[in-house]
């Protein structure tokens, strides 16, 4: 245990994660098993991610909609793969308004089955397409082994649901959205591995799933967001058809895609260190914290005035906060904001006031420098950019240096990281891998999809390999 | 039925309301009885209201939080008035993850019972107070007679939950929030009657409720938002106590307050006319719509180029859209956007191109004028302001001229509007009024709270009257 009540990453990474969430006041346990409370500091991170993604989606012509939280069970049962995937995780409402319901309702685990009957009503002709709607909502998937942000029974997310005239158009959008998701992770200074999921790992009911996978600092994977081509699987079931330009009826080609507050979990695990969170400026609720340091009333007055002027000046460009708490020492405050990952800390005492300067501490490198007041604004601009780039580069270097090429199962060992292997894509082999090694395929990246596997033989079955895939344990 | 498939307000106001919602594509019925779908045009209005309210609350120091959608039933049962108020409206989850739950869960109808046990854990000392948190969330209250936006079984809202050291501080916040709500309605160009609710009409579990009441265009009332002083009622039950500066433990004084997408319903009913919606610019998803008018390919090119330049110029300041649909006549488009209440329509044909001008139609007054291109930006600024002010003034004039002073029950007749009467505040008399006249007290405004009633005798009971109250039918 360090000064900050946080377990060291190397000692127990999952415990470190829980400790950081508690100490940085990101989230808390609730009265309901499996569900969490997201506290203001944690929720603000999600709101910043959400605002950026919403802007990107709106710019791309997607419109927001809101469908009910309840889904008639019979709708959920209609698509056979979908129900198989979600039935074990449902929360069921059996009573409403004091009466037992004739038709039981599920709390939505995702909204394909909630939306597409209505889509069928809205869509008449090819002129109504593409239909591209998105919903910011809570969903419930009952979790036996909950983990904060990554695996709570209730979570907040966005789910896009789109309909196209042709398969080509739909598949193009799958990639377009995947690239937006990848950009959102870049916004969080996290490099994402994007590409296709295996047949066993794809979304229940989809023809194909593409994913955004993040390597976190214990070498495991976090699925950051997914983009699915649903084909006409749901269109058949819910009768989503349109009158084409050819005067005939056709089934719509559908996609769905989602990013949730798991992204906050990936962010914590992707950047944090033994001292707590490290936040890239884009998603830091507080980008600059000012700590006044004084010994007596006289120095206090001068210091506080100096701090206030700087704060007012910086507040035009940054989310800035002065920690004015009287009964806490500067040392306590340094630690308090370090745990919370604030990118820049300004330490201001009489020395700084008298020399017209500011001591600037950057959280990512834990270095401090004295900056002239006249150069503060330019320096901060550069520092913010440099912190973002440094965090990104560190995460990228870590990921790049923790992917190990293997040719056979024997080579899977305790190394932190992912394994790259040539694989037959045989579902049975993946099942075995999951059971014996707690590991599945994470993603087939485009570079590997577009070339022959390095080894002709599958590393598990010895049969013909199809591509080089990444395999990893995951959260 | 008019050209636009909308029933006239005078013929059947509730039907007019439903027609506008359908024709303007604000909302739709869902697969789940009592729950609605909010379509993009309707949701955008809510998002604009939400953004403004969120900004106001953040400026006031309130922080956002997220608690689970489920509440253990036993928590809900803990406060006796609260459970009496909400038990009949609960949706109950009995099964989760394939198993019957030992402890049944309610879907939150409001979150007092979901939050305050946790508040008790977070609050130790007076230094932790005030605690001022807000949550943007969906809640469920089973409705037997649903009505779009105003009374759906599920609705979106914000709920603020705050804790103070003293009753005085708490009561001050009740009024501060009430004023923010009143400002939000002003933002929507709607005057609100703010003040106290009667004992029977207050929130279940509150000591006192203050309300924001809107008079809509058939003279009924819509409760626009409420702000409650909970006293220590919940603090006692959930053990929300703090160590005071005096070294002793005290119960926290609590408030809760909420504004929901009922506000969209009030907006529709408060401003709409026989041609559909009329939206004030602040909450109009499209503030300016441009309709290009041309007869042949040659004029089309010139008109479209002219439109594009104007659009690009205006897009810096407004939410602007050009209706470029090829297969629809200008007349159809005029009607289409009138129904949707777009404040300003720019009609642009060859005449306008050649005279370097724009025909500008304002929805609120249904008047049109030709404006020189060089003056367009200034004119639009003034017009937007004028539309807002005109809508506000119309709503205010309507409200002021539809409040009738009565001295006895006999005077209650079919007049559109509210009745003002001197009242004893006797709960039994209010019950009778509700049963026989479908009417209850709406609000005691501060002007009437701070003076003696005009009549010493209660208009119902003949007993001693306490104040002059407003009474009305409501949605």
């Amino acid at each position: 245990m360090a000064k900050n009540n946080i377990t060291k990453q190397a000692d127990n990474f999952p415990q470190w994660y829980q400790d950081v969430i508690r100490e940085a006041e990101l989230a808390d346990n609730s009265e309901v098993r499996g569900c969490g409370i997201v506290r203001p500091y944690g929720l603000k991170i999600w709101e910043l991610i959400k605002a950026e993604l919403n802007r990107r989606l709106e710019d791309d012509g997607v419109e927001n909609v809101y469908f009910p939280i309840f889904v008639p069970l019979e709708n959920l049962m209609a698509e056979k793969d979908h129900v198989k995937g979600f039935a074990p995780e449902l929360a069921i409402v059996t009573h409403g308004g004091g009466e037992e319901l004739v038709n039981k309702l599920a709390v939505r685990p995702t909204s394909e089955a909630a939306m597409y009957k209505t889509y069928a009503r809205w869509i008449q002709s090819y002129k109504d397409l593409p239909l591209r709607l998105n919903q910011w909502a809570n969903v419930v998937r009952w979790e036996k082994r909950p983990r904060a942000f990554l695996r709570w029974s209730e979570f907040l997310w966005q789910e896009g649901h789109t309909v196209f005239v042709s398969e080509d158009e739909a598949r193009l959008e799958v990639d377009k959205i995947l690239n937006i998701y990848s950009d959102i992770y870049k916004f969080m200074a996290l490099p994402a591995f994007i590409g296709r999921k295996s047949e066993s790992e794809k979304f229940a009911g989809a023809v194909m799933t593409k994913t955004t996978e993040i390597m976190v600092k214990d070498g495991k994977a976090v699925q950051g967001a997914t983009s699915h081509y649903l084909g006409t699987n749901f269109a058949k079931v819910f009768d989503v058809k349109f009158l084409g330009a050819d005067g005939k009826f056709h089934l719509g080609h559908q996609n769905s895609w989602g990013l949730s507050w798991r992204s906050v979990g990936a962010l914590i695990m992707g950047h944090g260190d033994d001292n707590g969170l490290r936040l890239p400026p884009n998603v830091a609720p507080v980008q600059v914290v000012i700590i006044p340091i004084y010994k007596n009333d006289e120095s206090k007055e001068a210091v506080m005035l100096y701090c206030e002027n700087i704060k007012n000046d910086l507040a035009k460009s940054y989310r800035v906060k002065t920690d004015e708490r009287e009964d806490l020492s500067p040392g306590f405050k340094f630690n308090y904001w370090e745990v919370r990952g604030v990118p820049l800390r300004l330490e201001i005492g009489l020395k700084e006031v008298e020399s017209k300067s500011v001591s600037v501490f950057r959280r990512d490198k834990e270095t401090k420098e004295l900056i002239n007041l006249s150069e503060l604004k330019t320096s901060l601009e550069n520092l913010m950019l440099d912190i973002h780039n440094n965090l990104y580069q560190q995460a990228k270097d870590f990921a790049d240096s923790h992917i190990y090429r293997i040719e056979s199962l024997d080579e899977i060992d305790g190394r932190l990281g992912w394994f790259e292997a040539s694989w037959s894509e045989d579902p049975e082999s993946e099942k075995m891998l999951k059971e014996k090694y707690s590991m599945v395929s994470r993603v087939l990246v485009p570079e590997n999809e577009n070339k022959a596997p390095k080894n002709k033989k599958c590393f598990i079955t010895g049969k013909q390999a199809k591509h080089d895939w990444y395999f990893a344990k995951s959260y």
Side-chain angles (χ1 to χ4, degrees), chain A:
Chain A
M1 228 30 117
K3 55 174 178 177
N4 47 31
N5 299 320
I6 297 172
T7 303
K8 283 191 188 309
Q9 290 190 330
D11 291 346
N12 184 340
F13 193 81
Q15 188 59 49
W16 167 87
Y17 179 68
Q18 260 187 259
D19 291 350
V20 167
I21 286 172
R22 183 192 64 246
E23 293 297 313
E25 298 187 337
L26 296 169
D28 205 340
N29 295 321
S30 80
E31 299 288 315
V32 181
R33 204 193 163 279
C35 291
I37 297 160
V38 181
R39 303 186 71 171
Y41 198 73
L43 195 63
K44 188 71 189 180
I45 296 175
W46 171 239
E47 286 175 350
L48 290 164
I49 296 169
K50 178 175 165 176
E52 177 68 10
L53 179 52
N54 196 58
R55 190 185 66 74
R56 288 292 306 264
L57 294 175
E58 279 193 351
D59 284 354
D60 199 48
V62 175
E63 292 185 301
N64 287 336
V65 70
Y66 190 78
F67 276 72
I69 178 140
F70 300 128
V71 193
L73 261 186
E74 55 173 345
N75 284 17
L76 258 172
M77 299 299 171
E79 212 286 332
K80 67 179 189 336
D81 289 331
H82 195 60
V83 67
K84 215 189 296 170
F86 286 104
E89 301 178 355
L90 295 178
I92 310 287
V93 175
T94 54
H95 292 72
E99 285 169 20
E100 187 167 355
L101 301 178
V102 178
N103 298 308
K104 307 276 177 284
L105 300 171
V107 181
R108 64 184 160 216
T110 175
S111 298
E112 284 75 6
M115 290 180 165
Y116 297 168
K117 262 200 184 177
T118 301
Y119 273 31
R121 213 154 35 76
W122 288 345
I123 295 166
Q124 306 294 326
S125 122
Y126 70 96
K127 290 178 189 168
D128 300 322
L129 300 180
L131 180 68
R132 301 181 69 213
L133 299 179
N134 174 60
Q135 159 166 298
W136 292 95
N138 53 344
V139 291
V140 171
R141 299 178 187 175
W142 215 262
E143 284 291 350
K144 300 235 188 302
R145 290 168 304 133
R147 190 187 302 275
F149 292 108
L150 295 167
R151 212 174 275 282
W152 270 323
S153 291
E154 182 194 12
F155 59 89
L156 299 193
W157 76 342
Q158 61 67 219
E159 46 180 327
H161 294 271
T162 56
V163 189
F164 296 88
V165 163
S166 72
E167 174 169 353
D168 282 355
E169 277 179 90
R171 285 188 182 266
L172 273 176
E173 195 216 39
V174 168
D175 286 328
K176 186 158 73 165
I177 295 297
L178 198 66
N179 285 324
I180 289 176
Y181 287 156
S182 174
D183 285 350
I184 293 299
Y185 277 96
K186 274 192 198 123
F187 181 76
M188 293 185 258
L190 286 170
F193 293 82
I194 60 172
R196 186 157 66 78
K197 278 283 188 195
S198 72
E199 283 303 297
S200 349
E201 290 296 307
K202 74 182 183 188
F203 178 72
V207 170
M208 179 200 64
T209 289
K210 289 203 172 176
T211 183
T212 316
E213 298 284 319
I214 310 296
M215 190 194 291
V216 296
K217 288 177 89 177
D218 66 345
K220 289 190 185 172
V222 169
Q223 181 176 300
T226 44
S227 180
H228 319 292
Y229 171 56
L230 305 176
T232 56
N233 291 349
F234 288 89
K236 269 176 217 142
V237 169
F238 293 111
D239 207 27
V240 181
K241 60 177 194 293
F242 63 90
L243 192 63
D246 59 2
K248 292 177 190 160
F249 282 102
H250 303 271
L251 290 172
H253 290 266
Q254 296 190 266
N255 293 340
S256 70
W257 29 271
L259 181 144
S260 81
W261 67 20
R262 305 197 97 218
S263 52
V264 178
L267 181 78
I268 300 165
M269 287 188 170
H271 292 308
D273 66 15
D274 284 344
N275 294 332
L277 279 182
R278 295 194 307 165
L279 293 176
N282 285 335
V283 292
V286 179
Q287 296 171 308
V288 182
V289 66
I290 301 174
I291 313 286
I293 302 166
Y294 48 83
K295 291 216 172 87
N296 51 46
D297 281 355
E298 200 184 339
S299 61
K300 180 180 171 183
E301 198 180 331
V303 165
M304 292 308 291
L305 182 69
Y306 191 76
C307 287
E308 199 187 333
N309 288 335
I310 291 175
K311 190 200 156 177
N312 291 340
D313 200 29
L314 294 181
K316 292 163 203 152
S317 318
Y318 301 104
R319 294 182 286 274
V320 54
K321 186 182 175 74
T322 306
D323 189 341
E324 298 184 359
R325 290 176 294 178
E326 296 269 345
D327 47 352
L328 300 170
S329 71
F332 179 94
K333 292 178 181 178
F334 292 175
N335 185 53
Y336 182 93
W337 295 106
E338 260 176 75
V339 167
R340 281 160 182 76
V342 173
L344 288 175
R345 175 172 84 220
L346 311 191
E347 303 173 11
I348 295 174
L350 261 191
K351 187 185 83 181
E352 283 79 8
V353 175
E354 281 162 5
S355 62
K356 290 207 163 67
S357 65
V358 177
S359 291
V360 178
F361 172 87
R362 56 186 283 185
R363 173 66 180 89
D364 62 325
K365 292 185 169 172
E366 308 225 315
T367 54
K368 189 151 73 174
E369 57 182 319
L370 197 70
I371 296 177
N372 272 329
L373 198 54
S374 60
E375 290 156 19
L376 186 63
K377 281 180 87 167
T378 317
S379 294
L380 254 54
E381 262 176 56
N382 294 333
L383 275 168
M384 290 294 185
L385 202 63
D386 198 60
I387 291 170
H388 176 90
N389 290 339
N390 178 49
L391 286 172
Y392 183 85
Q393 198 56 46
Q394 284 188 3
K396 184 153 184 358
D397 290 346
F398 182 85
D400 289 345
S401 61
H402 287 79
I403 296 178
Y404 310 107
R405 173 73 201 180
I406 59 171
E407 305 301 337
S408 76
L409 281 176
D410 307 340
E411 294 173 61
I412 295 182
D413 53 19
R415 283 176 286 186
L416 297 184
W418 298 3
F419 296 100
E420 190 213 62
S422 303
W423 183 39
S424 61
E425 298 177 25
D426 171 45
E428 281 305 309
S429 69
E430 184 151 39
K431 206 173 150 196
M432 183 281 296
L433 197 68
K434 191 170 186 175
E435 279 163 14
K436 286 187 71 169
Y437 296 85
S438 306
M439 201 176 272
V440 291
S441 66
R442 300 310 308 173
V443 59
L444 174 59
V445 295
E447 308 85 274
N448 289 343
E449 178 135 39
N450 298 324
K451 68 176 191 216
K454 291 177 187 154
N455 193 334
K456 280 180 191 158
K457 278 169 57 184
C458 170
F459 80 117
I460 305 173
T461 62
K463 287 191 274 189
Q464 175 72 44
K466 288 186 181 159
H467 292 102
D468 294 317
W469 285 74
Y470 293 135
F471 296 83
K473 293 183 178 178
S474 68
Y475 287 102

